[in-house]
Amino acid sequence: ATYARALTDIQQRQGRVPPGLYGDYGFLLYLRGDYPGAIAAFEREKALFVESTALMDRLIGRVRERQGAAPPPGGVPAPTPPY
């Protein structure tokens, strides 16, 4: 929630968020298990900064792979980077 607030504040003050911030936010959401939120943040990064398209598409693909995987019976798996 704090990171999302910071993104909103930056966007309101400067009119534009620096490259990489939505990508970072997406990674944090991924680590928390919020896969739809991570994908949305990666998509936003890609829309704002087309040069990040290849990396964001790769991360989105990895998150979607993880999304389809069932968690182990003992509970939530330890987070691993999507790359």
Side-chain angles (χ1 to χ4, degrees):
T2 303
Y3 204 100
R5 230 174 302 138
L7 283 171
T8 302
D9 289 346
I10 290 169
Q11 193 166 16
Q12 288 174 349
R13 285 188 218 156
Q14 299 176 2
R16 187 172 172 148
V17 174
L21 258 57
Y22 279 105
D24 288 344
Y25 183 52
F27 187 72
L28 290 174
L29 292 174
Y30 166 80
L31 291 176
R32 290 181 54 198
D34 181 1
Y35 299 150
I39 290 171
F42 293 149
E43 291 285 358
R44 181 81 171 143
E45 178 76 20
K46 186 168 79 167
L48 291 173
F49 306 100
V50 293
E51 62 274 13
S52 70
T53 298
L55 176 60
M56 293 301 113
D57 284 346
R58 182 180 168 119
L59 293 174
I60 289 166
R62 297 295 174 112
V63 172
R64 286 194 173 131
E65 285 174 12
R66 177 60 63 110
Q67 225 174 359
V76 179
T80 56
Y83 45 84

